[in-house]
């Protein structure tokens, strides 16, 4: 009896000590305030709750109000410092490779691949970034401009003649087809399998609780990746069997690199890179473009000013029927302000993760080595101390700003050495589509009901607009 009592007592003491250790992790200094949540689960369930507003996610907003702009938590079994503080977030980006390195939870790695560009560091990351810039760098974008404009014109013409178009899906299709053609010469009309459908399945489970059980969104996400990777692998192997003499797409360039003596590029790294590029290019840009057109529909004054800028470009041309030039594109001052404001409110990337390489003192707190740091761009972009009426769409707020890419108060495309290499490609596509839209079409809102019997664009929230060609 006494033996049983002793064993039970020891078990209770052990569990109590474990729970205490969970809630009070060791630190050589002072940890930020916060809660570690339940043992094993942490605050993972609260973190994954959907945000149905355009405001800062409730998980972040509630804890900032309670603990301040820097707090600790536990997500998917990892100790995390959450930064809603612009100074700390900027510091984390600037110290990449010295005090911090890119890190994402194991669930993210399972989804994007062990060799995805977000998980690689040092020489390999710089090598891959240099490869990508051969396509999305300054010279590559100048060459792409006519093709982007041609694609935009064709799709807008198609949409204007359809009874109804779900805009998010339509823009995703347009951008995916354009990017896939540049990357891998993929033609959906000639392929026996639907590559984009696999990415759609992948995206639907991307932000979901990580239960790999048949029927769950996460399981469908993994299956979507598996199918997409199988198609990409088959394409790569087929291309390696029949290489082209003159490279015309990114796959050709990758094959050249793989076959070089002493190369550090492997087939698996190349495939993971291709997968991430296809995903990032069409999902993020299509969401931003959908929101941009929605903002235009909601604000006649912004639409008027944007239209005036682009019609001025047409009036200043010697040949009114010629295509956009690089100089015209770079002259779109208000358009870039409009895109910045769209990116600020879109907050397409709700969290960016890094890992502390050493114990780091920041203000009164210590970030222990090995802990993750989660930078929260929405908290920075919707900070009323920096942005007056932060939830209001106002492109004019960027007139005096020099932060066109990354700064302490604008990190829509990341920051530091991992600043998104596709940023300029995204801006180019958005600007060109907007140019074609406001110079060639006008639209009016259709009120009431979800059934549209006239040519129109359907937004995700149920609103519709219909396109009419402009007559000059």
């Amino acid at each position: 009896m006494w033996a049983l009592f002793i064993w039970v007592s020891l078990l209770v003491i052990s569990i109590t000590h474990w729970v205490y250790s969970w809630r009070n992790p060791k630190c050589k200094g002072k940890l930020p305030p916060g809660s570690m949540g339940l043992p094993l689960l942490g605050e993972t369930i609260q973190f994954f709750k959907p945000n149905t507003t355009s405001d800062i996610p409730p998980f972040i907003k509630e804890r900032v109000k309670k603990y301040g702009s820097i707090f600790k938590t536990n997500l998917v079994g990892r100790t995390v410092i959450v930064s809603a503080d612009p100074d700390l977030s900027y510091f984390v980006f600037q110290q990449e490779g010295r005090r911090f390195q890119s890190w994402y939870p194991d669930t993210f790695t399972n989804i994007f691949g062990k060799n995805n560009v977000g998980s690689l560091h040092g020489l390999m990351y710089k090598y891959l970034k240099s490869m990508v810039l051969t396509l999305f760098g300054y010279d590559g974008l100048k060459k792409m401009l006519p093709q982007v404009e041609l694609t935009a014109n064709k799709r807008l013409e198609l949409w204007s003649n359809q009874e109804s178009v779900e805009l998010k899906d339509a823009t995703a299709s347009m951008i995916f087809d354009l990017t896939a053609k540049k990357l891998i010469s993929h033609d959906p009309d000639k392929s026996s399998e639907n590559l984009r459908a696999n990415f759609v399945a992948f995206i639907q489970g991307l932000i979901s609780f990580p239960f790999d059980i048949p029927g769950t969104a996460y399981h469908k996400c993994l299956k979507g990746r598996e199918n997409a990777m199988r198609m990409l692998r088959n394409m790569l192997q087929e291309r390696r069997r029949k290489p082209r003499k003159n490279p015309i797409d990114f796959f050709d360039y990758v094959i050249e690199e793989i076959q070089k003596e002493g190369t550090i590029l492997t087939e698996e790294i190349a495939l993971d890179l291709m997968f991430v590029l296809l995903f990032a290019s069409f999902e993020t840009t299509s969401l931003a473009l959908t929101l941009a057109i929605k903002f235009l529909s909601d604000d006649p004054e912004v639409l008027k000013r944007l239209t005036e800028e682009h019609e001025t470009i047409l009036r200043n041309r010697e040949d009114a029927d010629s295509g956009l030039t690089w100089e015209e594109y770079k002259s779109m001052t208000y358009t870039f302000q409009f895109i910045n404001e769209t990116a600020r409110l879109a907050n397409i990337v709700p969290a960016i993760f890094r890992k502390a390489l050493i114990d780091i003192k920041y203000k009164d707190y210590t970030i222990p080595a090995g802990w993750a740091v989660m930078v929260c761009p929405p908290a920075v972009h919707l900070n009323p101390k920096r942005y007056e009426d932060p939830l209001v769409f106002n492109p004019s707020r960027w007139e005096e700003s020099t932060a066109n890419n990354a700064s302490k108060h604008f990190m829509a495309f990341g920051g530091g050495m991992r600043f998104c290499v596709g940023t300029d490609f995204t801006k180019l596509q958005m600007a060109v589509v907007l140019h074609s839209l406001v110079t060639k079409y006008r639209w009016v809102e259709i009120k009431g009901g979800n059934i549209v019997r006239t040519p129109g664009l359907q937004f995700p929230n149920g609103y519709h607009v219909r396109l009419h060609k402009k007559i000059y």
Side-chain angles (χ1 to χ4, degrees):
M1 190 71 176
W2 277 107
L4 178 60
F5 175 77
I6 291 171
W7 278 109
V8 171
S9 299
L10 289 173
L11 180 61
V12 171
I13 292 171
S14 297
I15 293 174
T16 303
H17 176 73
W18 175 63
V19 172
Y20 178 83
S21 299
W22 176 275
R23 293 180 176 177
N24 301 275
K26 291 181 180 180
C27 176
K28 294 178 182 178
K30 178 185 176 184
L31 284 169
S35 169
M36 306 309 288
L38 296 172
L40 299 180
L41 280 176
E43 296 189 303
T44 307
I45 295 176
Q46 298 95 314
F47 177 75
F48 277 107
K49 283 184 179 178
N51 180 16
T52 57
T53 74
S54 56
D55 204 347
I56 300 168
F59 177 85
I60 303 296
K61 193 169 187 177
E62 293 166 6
R63 285 156 182 77
V64 167
K65 186 176 180 180
K66 187 174 182 180
Y67 303 118
S69 59
I70 304 172
F71 61 90
K72 68 176 182 289
T73 185
N74 188 294
L75 303 174
V76 292
R78 281 298 299 249
T79 47
V80 180
I81 301 294
V82 177
S83 172
D85 180 271
D87 292 321
L88 175 57
S89 299
Y90 187 73
F91 173 74
V92 169
F93 288 144
Q94 297 307 309
Q95 291 296 315
E96 170 87 24
R98 293 186 290 273
R99 301 186 187 187
F100 299 93
Q101 72 177 23
S102 179
W103 173 88
Y104 283 89
D106 291 341
T107 51
F108 179 94
T109 304
N110 292 339
I111 289 172
F112 283 100
K114 294 179 180 179
N115 295 305
N116 79 83
V117 68
S119 299
L120 299 174
H121 313 288
L123 180 63
M124 178 56 79
Y125 172 75
K126 292 178 181 178
Y127 170 75
L128 292 181
K129 184 175 181 179
S130 176
M131 282 183 61
V132 174
L133 285 174
T134 61
L135 179 67
F136 295 127
Y138 180 84
D139 292 335
L141 293 180
K142 285 185 73 172
K143 294 176 183 177
M144 262 193 267
L145 178 58
Q147 187 175 355
V148 174
E149 184 179 21
L150 179 63
T151 300
N153 287 336
K154 285 183 176 180
R155 290 303 175 100
L156 285 169
E157 176 76 19
L158 177 66
W159 297 349
S160 70
N161 290 307
Q162 290 182 352
E163 188 172 281
S164 179
V165 176
E166 202 289 311
L167 189 57
K168 172 61 174 65
D169 184 67
T171 53
S173 174
M174 173 181 67
I175 293 165
F176 184 86
D177 290 348
L178 173 65
T179 308
K181 185 173 183 179
K182 293 302 296 182
L183 288 173
I184 57 178
S185 299
H186 178 65
D187 186 344
D189 296 328
K190 296 179 181 179
S191 176
S192 59
E193 293 186 79
N194 191 333
L195 180 60
R196 193 173 82 86
N198 291 317
F199 276 88
V200 171
F202 168 80
I203 289 161
Q204 289 173 347
L206 185 58
I207 305 298
S208 60
F209 205 81
F211 282 145
D212 187 11
I213 301 172
T216 64
Y218 184 71
H219 180 77
K220 293 176 183 177
C221 175
L222 293 178
K223 292 299 292 183
R225 170 184 163 77
E226 181 184 320
N227 291 334
M229 289 295 288
R230 174 180 49 78
M231 291 184 67
L232 290 173
R233 184 173 287 104
N234 290 341
M235 291 178 195
L236 179 61
Q237 291 173 351
E238 176 64 23
R239 195 76 68 82
R240 292 187 74 174
R241 286 193 293 268
K242 301 177 181 178
R244 292 191 279 227
K245 291 183 179 180
N246 298 312
I248 63 172
D249 64 16
F250 193 62
F251 244 167
D252 290 330
Y253 182 68
V254 165
I255 291 168
E256 283 187 354
E257 289 294 309
I258 290 175
Q259 293 175 340
K260 287 180 180 178
E261 186 176 348
T263 182
I264 59 175
L265 184 66
T266 67
E267 187 173 294
E268 286 305 313
I269 292 176
L271 289 171
D272 277 347
L273 174 63
M274 202 67 65
F275 181 87
V276 170
L277 290 176
L278 284 167
F279 161 75
S281 61
F282 93 97
E283 176 58 17
T284 56
T285 306
S286 63
L287 179 55
L289 193 51
T290 300
L291 286 171
I293 297 174
K294 178 66 170 66
F295 289 143
L296 279 181
S297 301
D298 289 342
D299 196 324
E301 288 302 314
V302 171
L303 174 60
K304 179 182 177 183
R305 188 168 173 186
L306 190 73
T307 303
E308 286 173 350
E309 177 170 87
H310 288 273
E311 290 186 339
T312 298
I313 289 174
L314 297 186
R315 286 196 299 271
N316 290 338
R317 284 180 182 169
E318 292 184 6
D319 180 2
D321 295 325
S322 63
L324 266 174
T325 66
W326 187 253
E327 290 71 26
E328 288 172 343
Y329 165 66
K330 298 300 287 185
S331 74
M332 298 176 183
T333 304
Y334 186 71
T335 303
F336 291 126
Q337 294 170 10
F338 176 90
I339 291 172
N340 271 357
E341 183 69 348
T342 300
R344 183 186 71 83
L345 283 174
N347 286 308
I348 294 168
V349 180
I352 301 172
F353 287 91
R354 296 290 185 265
K355 183 174 71 173
L357 298 174
I358 58 174
D359 286 352
I360 298 162
K361 299 286 186 182
Y362 184 81
K363 295 183 178 178
D364 296 331
Y365 302 128
T366 295
I367 303 174
W371 278 50
V373 177
M374 187 181 87
V375 172
C376 181
V380 174
H381 297 157
L382 301 177
N383 182 356
K385 294 179 181 178
R386 176 66 184 184
Y387 299 103
E388 184 179 354
D389 297 324
L391 292 175
V392 173
F393 184 76
N394 177 22
S396 296
R397 71 170 84 242
W398 295 91
E399 287 178 355
E400 305 300 325
S401 175
T402 58
N404 291 320
N405 285 324
S407 73
K408 194 178 293 185
H409 302 285
F410 185 63
M411 46 192 67
F413 303 100
M417 66 178 290
R418 287 184 182 267
F419 181 76
C420 178
V421 294
T423 298
D424 290 333
F425 184 44
T426 294
K427 290 183 177 182
L428 177 73
Q429 291 178 96
M430 291 183 68
V432 171
V433 172
L434 291 170
H435 172 78
S436 298
L437 181 62
V438 300
T439 57
K440 297 179 184 295
Y441 298 89
R442 62 184 177 87
W443 69 90
V444 294
E445 185 175 341
I446 301 172
K447 303 215 175 183
N450 287 332
I451 299 176
V452 180
R453 302 192 182 280
T454 53
L457 304 179
Q458 176 184 341
F459 295 100
N461 62 1
Y463 289 111
H464 300 75
V465 294
R466 63 186 176 205
L467 295 177
H468 295 279
K469 274 207 165 182
K470 286 186 175 181
I471 301 175
Y472 292 95

PDB file of all heavy atoms in Angstrom, residues 293-306 334 338 392-395 443:
ATOM      1  N   ILE A 293      -8.383  45.143 -57.399  1.00  0.00           N
ATOM      2  CA  ILE A 293      -9.556  45.455 -58.216  1.00  0.00           C
ATOM      3  C   ILE A 293     -10.777  45.704 -57.338  1.00  0.00           C
ATOM      4  O   ILE A 293     -11.617  46.568 -57.627  1.00  0.00           O
ATOM      5  CB  ILE A 293      -9.810  44.326 -59.238  1.00  0.00           C
ATOM      6  CG1 ILE A 293      -8.607  44.228 -60.191  1.00  0.00           C
ATOM      7  CG2 ILE A 293     -11.088  44.580 -60.029  1.00  0.00           C
ATOM      8  CD1 ILE A 293      -8.675  43.061 -61.154  1.00  0.00           C
ATOM      9  N   LYS A 294     -10.866  44.985 -56.224  1.00  0.00           N
ATOM     10  CA  LYS A 294     -11.958  45.234 -55.278  1.00  0.00           C
ATOM     11  C   LYS A 294     -11.848  46.637 -54.681  1.00  0.00           C
ATOM     12  O   LYS A 294     -12.846  47.361 -54.572  1.00  0.00           O
ATOM     13  CB  LYS A 294     -11.901  44.184 -54.156  1.00  0.00           C
ATOM     14  CG  LYS A 294     -12.967  44.357 -53.082  1.00  0.00           C
ATOM     15  CD  LYS A 294     -14.361  44.121 -53.652  1.00  0.00           C
ATOM     16  CE  LYS A 294     -15.432  44.056 -52.572  1.00  0.00           C
ATOM     17  NZ  LYS A 294     -15.622  45.317 -51.861  1.00  0.00           N
ATOM     18  N   PHE A 295     -10.636  47.044 -54.320  1.00  0.00           N
ATOM     19  CA  PHE A 295     -10.443  48.393 -53.781  1.00  0.00           C
ATOM     20  C   PHE A 295     -10.825  49.449 -54.816  1.00  0.00           C
ATOM     21  O   PHE A 295     -11.423  50.474 -54.480  1.00  0.00           O
ATOM     22  CB  PHE A 295      -8.983  48.595 -53.360  1.00  0.00           C
ATOM     23  CG  PHE A 295      -8.580  47.814 -52.133  1.00  0.00           C
ATOM     24  CD1 PHE A 295      -7.311  47.249 -52.038  1.00  0.00           C
ATOM     25  CD2 PHE A 295      -9.462  47.631 -51.075  1.00  0.00           C
ATOM     26  CE1 PHE A 295      -6.928  46.533 -50.906  1.00  0.00           C
ATOM     27  CE2 PHE A 295      -9.102  46.916 -49.949  1.00  0.00           C
ATOM     28  CZ  PHE A 295      -7.828  46.367 -49.862  1.00  0.00           C
ATOM     29  N   LEU A 296     -10.485  49.202 -56.080  1.00  0.00           N
ATOM     30  CA  LEU A 296     -10.864  50.133 -57.141  1.00  0.00           C
ATOM     31  C   LEU A 296     -12.381  50.228 -57.266  1.00  0.00           C
ATOM     32  O   LEU A 296     -12.943  51.314 -57.464  1.00  0.00           O
ATOM     33  CB  LEU A 296     -10.283  49.680 -58.479  1.00  0.00           C
ATOM     34  CG  LEU A 296      -8.826  50.027 -58.781  1.00  0.00           C
ATOM     35  CD1 LEU A 296      -8.461  49.520 -60.163  1.00  0.00           C
ATOM     36  CD2 LEU A 296      -8.574  51.510 -58.676  1.00  0.00           C
ATOM     37  N   SER A 297     -13.050  49.105 -57.159  1.00  0.00           N
ATOM     38  CA  SER A 297     -14.507  49.078 -57.276  1.00  0.00           C
ATOM     39  C   SER A 297     -15.184  49.836 -56.145  1.00  0.00           C
ATOM     40  O   SER A 297     -16.268  50.389 -56.316  1.00  0.00           O
ATOM     41  CB  SER A 297     -15.007  47.624 -57.288  1.00  0.00           C
ATOM     42  OG  SER A 297     -14.446  46.919 -58.363  1.00  0.00           O
ATOM     43  N   ASP A 298     -14.524  49.856 -54.992  1.00  0.00           N
ATOM     44  CA  ASP A 298     -15.120  50.485 -53.810  1.00  0.00           C
ATOM     45  C   ASP A 298     -14.827  51.979 -53.711  1.00  0.00           C
ATOM     46  O   ASP A 298     -15.465  52.679 -52.930  1.00  0.00           O
ATOM     47  CB  ASP A 298     -14.597  49.805 -52.532  1.00  0.00           C
ATOM     48  CG  ASP A 298     -15.143  48.398 -52.356  1.00  0.00           C
ATOM     49  OD1 ASP A 298     -16.157  48.082 -53.002  1.00  0.00           O
ATOM     50  OD2 ASP A 298     -14.548  47.626 -51.586  1.00  0.00           O
ATOM     51  N   ASP A 299     -13.854  52.481 -54.465  1.00  0.00           N
ATOM     52  CA  ASP A 299     -13.427  53.868 -54.295  1.00  0.00           C
ATOM     53  C   ASP A 299     -13.323  54.583 -55.639  1.00  0.00           C
ATOM     54  O   ASP A 299     -12.293  54.515 -56.322  1.00  0.00           O
ATOM     55  CB  ASP A 299     -12.066  53.905 -53.581  1.00  0.00           C
ATOM     56  CG  ASP A 299     -11.743  55.277 -53.020  1.00  0.00           C
ATOM     57  OD1 ASP A 299     -12.098  56.282 -53.671  1.00  0.00           O
ATOM     58  OD2 ASP A 299     -11.124  55.349 -51.938  1.00  0.00           O
ATOM     59  N   PRO A 300     -14.379  55.302 -56.046  1.00  0.00           N
ATOM     60  CA  PRO A 300     -14.376  55.983 -57.349  1.00  0.00           C
ATOM     61  C   PRO A 300     -13.252  57.011 -57.497  1.00  0.00           C
ATOM     62  O   PRO A 300     -12.724  57.198 -58.599  1.00  0.00           O
ATOM     63  CB  PRO A 300     -15.745  56.679 -57.379  1.00  0.00           C
ATOM     64  CG  PRO A 300     -16.592  55.901 -56.421  1.00  0.00           C
ATOM     65  CD  PRO A 300     -15.666  55.437 -55.348  1.00  0.00           C
ATOM     66  N   GLU A 301     -12.877  57.675 -56.406  1.00  0.00           N
ATOM     67  CA  GLU A 301     -11.826  58.681 -56.496  1.00  0.00           C
ATOM     68  C   GLU A 301     -10.468  58.055 -56.815  1.00  0.00           C
ATOM     69  O   GLU A 301      -9.687  58.585 -57.603  1.00  0.00           O
ATOM     70  CB  GLU A 301     -11.746  59.481 -55.198  1.00  0.00           C
ATOM     71  CG  GLU A 301     -12.905  60.432 -54.988  1.00  0.00           C
ATOM     72  CD  GLU A 301     -13.034  61.445 -56.138  1.00  0.00           C
ATOM     73  OE1 GLU A 301     -12.003  62.014 -56.544  1.00  0.00           O
ATOM     74  OE2 GLU A 301     -14.166  61.632 -56.629  1.00  0.00           O
ATOM     75  N   VAL A 302     -10.187  56.925 -56.173  1.00  0.00           N
ATOM     76  CA  VAL A 302      -8.936  56.215 -56.460  1.00  0.00           C
ATOM     77  C   VAL A 302      -8.941  55.703 -57.900  1.00  0.00           C
ATOM     78  O   VAL A 302      -7.941  55.809 -58.620  1.00  0.00           O
ATOM     79  CB  VAL A 302      -8.735  55.050 -55.464  1.00  0.00           C
ATOM     80  CG1 VAL A 302      -7.551  54.177 -55.883  1.00  0.00           C
ATOM     81  CG2 VAL A 302      -8.505  55.578 -54.052  1.00  0.00           C
ATOM     82  N   LEU A 303     -10.081  55.153 -58.320  1.00  0.00           N
ATOM     83  CA  LEU A 303     -10.210  54.676 -59.697  1.00  0.00           C
ATOM     84  C   LEU A 303      -9.977  55.808 -60.690  1.00  0.00           C
ATOM     85  O   LEU A 303      -9.265  55.641 -61.691  1.00  0.00           O
ATOM     86  CB  LEU A 303     -11.601  54.071 -59.906  1.00  0.00           C
ATOM     87  CG  LEU A 303     -11.951  53.662 -61.336  1.00  0.00           C
ATOM     88  CD1 LEU A 303     -10.986  52.624 -61.862  1.00  0.00           C
ATOM     89  CD2 LEU A 303     -13.388  53.136 -61.396  1.00  0.00           C
ATOM     90  N   LYS A 304     -10.536  56.970 -60.400  1.00  0.00           N
ATOM     91  CA  LYS A 304     -10.384  58.123 -61.287  1.00  0.00           C
ATOM     92  C   LYS A 304      -8.927  58.536 -61.402  1.00  0.00           C
ATOM     93  O   LYS A 304      -8.414  58.771 -62.507  1.00  0.00           O
ATOM     94  CB  LYS A 304     -11.219  59.290 -60.757  1.00  0.00           C
ATOM     95  CG  LYS A 304     -11.116  60.552 -61.611  1.00  0.00           C
ATOM     96  CD  LYS A 304     -11.927  61.684 -60.997  1.00  0.00           C
ATOM     97  CE  LYS A 304     -11.765  62.974 -61.816  1.00  0.00           C
ATOM     98  NZ  LYS A 304     -12.484  64.111 -61.199  1.00  0.00           N
ATOM     99  N   ARG A 305      -8.236  58.609 -60.266  1.00  0.00           N
ATOM    100  CA  ARG A 305      -6.837  59.048 -60.283  1.00  0.00           C
ATOM    101  C   ARG A 305      -5.946  58.027 -60.982  1.00  0.00           C
ATOM    102  O   ARG A 305      -5.045  58.393 -61.741  1.00  0.00           O
ATOM    103  CB  ARG A 305      -6.359  59.295 -58.852  1.00  0.00           C
ATOM    104  CG  ARG A 305      -4.986  59.926 -58.811  1.00  0.00           C
ATOM    105  CD  ARG A 305      -4.623  60.427 -57.446  1.00  0.00           C
ATOM    106  NE  ARG A 305      -3.233  60.873 -57.417  1.00  0.00           N
ATOM    107  CZ  ARG A 305      -2.599  61.264 -56.333  1.00  0.00           C
ATOM    108  NH1 ARG A 305      -3.242  61.287 -55.173  1.00  0.00           N
ATOM    109  NH2 ARG A 305      -1.339  61.637 -56.380  1.00  0.00           N
ATOM    110  N   LEU A 306      -6.202  56.736 -60.735  1.00  0.00           N
ATOM    111  CA  LEU A 306      -5.410  55.700 -61.395  1.00  0.00           C
ATOM    112  C   LEU A 306      -5.642  55.728 -62.899  1.00  0.00           C
ATOM    113  O   LEU A 306      -4.700  55.625 -63.700  1.00  0.00           O
ATOM    114  CB  LEU A 306      -5.767  54.327 -60.824  1.00  0.00           C
ATOM    115  CG  LEU A 306      -4.856  53.183 -61.252  1.00  0.00           C
ATOM    116  CD1 LEU A 306      -3.502  53.280 -60.555  1.00  0.00           C
ATOM    117  CD2 LEU A 306      -5.486  51.827 -60.953  1.00  0.00           C
ATOM    118  N   TYR A 334       1.676  56.858 -59.230  1.00  0.00           N
ATOM    119  CA  TYR A 334       0.493  56.593 -58.399  1.00  0.00           C
ATOM    120  C   TYR A 334       0.161  55.107 -58.374  1.00  0.00           C
ATOM    121  O   TYR A 334      -0.298  54.576 -57.360  1.00  0.00           O
ATOM    122  CB  TYR A 334      -0.709  57.387 -58.902  1.00  0.00           C
ATOM    123  CG  TYR A 334      -1.912  57.257 -57.994  1.00  0.00           C
ATOM    124  CD1 TYR A 334      -1.930  57.863 -56.739  1.00  0.00           C
ATOM    125  CD2 TYR A 334      -3.028  56.514 -58.382  1.00  0.00           C
ATOM    126  CE1 TYR A 334      -3.025  57.746 -55.892  1.00  0.00           C
ATOM    127  CE2 TYR A 334      -4.129  56.392 -57.546  1.00  0.00           C
ATOM    128  CZ  TYR A 334      -4.116  57.008 -56.303  1.00  0.00           C
ATOM    129  OH  TYR A 334      -5.203  56.871 -55.468  1.00  0.00           O
ATOM    130  N   PHE A 338      -0.456  52.798 -55.185  1.00  0.00           N
ATOM    131  CA  PHE A 338      -1.653  51.959 -55.100  1.00  0.00           C
ATOM    132  C   PHE A 338      -1.276  50.513 -54.769  1.00  0.00           C
ATOM    133  O   PHE A 338      -1.908  49.867 -53.930  1.00  0.00           O
ATOM    134  CB  PHE A 338      -2.400  52.028 -56.431  1.00  0.00           C
ATOM    135  CG  PHE A 338      -3.608  51.152 -56.522  1.00  0.00           C
ATOM    136  CD1 PHE A 338      -4.862  51.626 -56.144  1.00  0.00           C
ATOM    137  CD2 PHE A 338      -3.514  49.853 -56.994  1.00  0.00           C
ATOM    138  CE1 PHE A 338      -5.985  50.809 -56.231  1.00  0.00           C
ATOM    139  CE2 PHE A 338      -4.626  49.031 -57.074  1.00  0.00           C
ATOM    140  CZ  PHE A 338      -5.871  49.521 -56.693  1.00  0.00           C
ATOM    141  N   VAL A 392      -8.214  51.825 -43.495  1.00  0.00           N
ATOM    142  CA  VAL A 392      -8.735  52.575 -44.639  1.00  0.00           C
ATOM    143  C   VAL A 392      -7.753  52.473 -45.803  1.00  0.00           C
ATOM    144  O   VAL A 392      -6.547  52.673 -45.632  1.00  0.00           O
ATOM    145  CB  VAL A 392      -8.965  54.056 -44.268  1.00  0.00           C
ATOM    146  CG1 VAL A 392      -9.351  54.867 -45.506  1.00  0.00           C
ATOM    147  CG2 VAL A 392     -10.041  54.174 -43.198  1.00  0.00           C
ATOM    148  N   PHE A 393      -8.275  52.174 -46.989  1.00  0.00           N
ATOM    149  CA  PHE A 393      -7.440  52.098 -48.190  1.00  0.00           C
ATOM    150  C   PHE A 393      -7.160  53.505 -48.693  1.00  0.00           C
ATOM    151  O   PHE A 393      -8.064  54.222 -49.114  1.00  0.00           O
ATOM    152  CB  PHE A 393      -8.160  51.284 -49.270  1.00  0.00           C
ATOM    153  CG  PHE A 393      -7.341  51.081 -50.517  1.00  0.00           C
ATOM    154  CD1 PHE A 393      -6.316  50.155 -50.533  1.00  0.00           C
ATOM    155  CD2 PHE A 393      -7.595  51.822 -51.662  1.00  0.00           C
ATOM    156  CE1 PHE A 393      -5.549  49.961 -51.674  1.00  0.00           C
ATOM    157  CE2 PHE A 393      -6.838  51.630 -52.807  1.00  0.00           C
ATOM    158  CZ  PHE A 393      -5.813  50.708 -52.812  1.00  0.00           C
ATOM    159  N   ASN A 394      -5.886  53.904 -48.654  1.00  0.00           N
ATOM    160  CA  ASN A 394      -5.521  55.276 -49.009  1.00  0.00           C
ATOM    161  C   ASN A 394      -4.134  55.302 -49.655  1.00  0.00           C
ATOM    162  O   ASN A 394      -3.127  55.494 -48.974  1.00  0.00           O
ATOM    163  CB  ASN A 394      -5.545  56.165 -47.757  1.00  0.00           C
ATOM    164  CG  ASN A 394      -5.098  57.588 -48.062  1.00  0.00           C
ATOM    165  OD1 ASN A 394      -5.150  58.036 -49.213  1.00  0.00           O
ATOM    166  ND2 ASN A 394      -4.654  58.293 -47.036  1.00  0.00           N
ATOM    167  N   PRO A 395      -4.053  55.124 -50.976  1.00  0.00           N
ATOM    168  CA  PRO A 395      -2.753  55.116 -51.655  1.00  0.00           C
ATOM    169  C   PRO A 395      -1.960  56.404 -51.463  1.00  0.00           C
ATOM    170  O   PRO A 395      -0.730  56.390 -51.511  1.00  0.00           O
ATOM    171  CB  PRO A 395      -3.132  54.914 -53.129  1.00  0.00           C
ATOM    172  CG  PRO A 395      -4.473  54.263 -53.099  1.00  0.00           C
ATOM    173  CD  PRO A 395      -5.162  54.828 -51.902  1.00  0.00           C
ATOM    174  N   TRP A 443     -16.400  49.671 -65.658  1.00  0.00           N
ATOM    175  CA  TRP A 443     -17.303  48.703 -65.052  1.00  0.00           C
ATOM    176  C   TRP A 443     -18.218  49.353 -64.046  1.00  0.00           C
ATOM    177  O   TRP A 443     -17.933  50.410 -63.499  1.00  0.00           O
ATOM    178  CB  TRP A 443     -16.547  47.536 -64.420  1.00  0.00           C
ATOM    179  CG  TRP A 443     -15.725  47.833 -63.196  1.00  0.00           C
ATOM    180  CD1 TRP A 443     -16.118  47.775 -61.910  1.00  0.00           C
ATOM    181  CD2 TRP A 443     -14.349  48.204 -63.175  1.00  0.00           C
ATOM    182  NE1 TRP A 443     -15.079  48.078 -61.074  1.00  0.00           N
ATOM    183  CE2 TRP A 443     -13.978  48.344 -61.825  1.00  0.00           C
ATOM    184  CE3 TRP A 443     -13.376  48.421 -64.153  1.00  0.00           C
ATOM    185  CZ2 TRP A 443     -12.690  48.696 -61.431  1.00  0.00           C
ATOM    186  CZ3 TRP A 443     -12.101  48.771 -63.765  1.00  0.00           C
ATOM    187  CH2 TRP A 443     -11.780  48.899 -62.417  1.00  0.00           C
TER     188      TRP A 443
END
